[in-house]
Amino acid sequence: MKNRLPQLRATKGLSQGALAEQLDVSRQTVNALEKGRYDPSLPLAFRIARLFECRIEDVFDDS
């Protein structure tokens, strides 16, 4: 699944590790999400969207 996570993370000046801490996941999970190798659970997708103050659809693209 494509996503805008790297761009959103950069706008907040967060490293992968810092984002992982805020989301309560590992840095490896954030890396896998950004590379499209891992699709988030629905609760994780909501946490990501809330953190960046946007809709899930603004972060993830299922096309």
Side-chain angles (χ1 to χ4, degrees), residues 1 5-7 9-14 18 23 29-31 40-42 45 47 50-52 54-57 62:
M1 177 181 306
L5 203 48
Q7 296 90 345
R9 183 171 57 78
T11 63
K12 290 217 179 236
L14 295 171
L23 296 173
T29 297
V30 171
N31 183 272
S41 65
L42 194 52
R47 286 198 314 266
R50 272 195 300 272
L51 178 71
F52 293 111
C54 60
R55 300 174 308 149
I56 291 175
E57 297 90 341
D62 66 349

Side-chain angles (χ1 to χ4, degrees), residues 30-45:
V30 171
N31 183 272
L33 283 166
E34 288 187 357
K35 293 183 183 265
R37 293 188 319 236
Y38 174 73
D39 292 338
S41 65
L42 194 52
L44 178 55

Side-chain angles (χ1 to χ4, degrees), residues 3-34:
N3 65 72
R4 296 184 45 234
L5 203 48
Q7 296 90 345
L8 292 169
R9 183 171 57 78
T11 63
K12 290 217 179 236
L14 295 171
S15 66
Q16 286 183 344
L19 177 59
E21 249 181 58
Q22 290 191 25
L23 296 173
D24 198 28
V25 299
S26 69
R27 188 198 58 77
Q28 291 84 354
T29 297
V30 171
N31 183 272
L33 283 166
E34 288 187 357

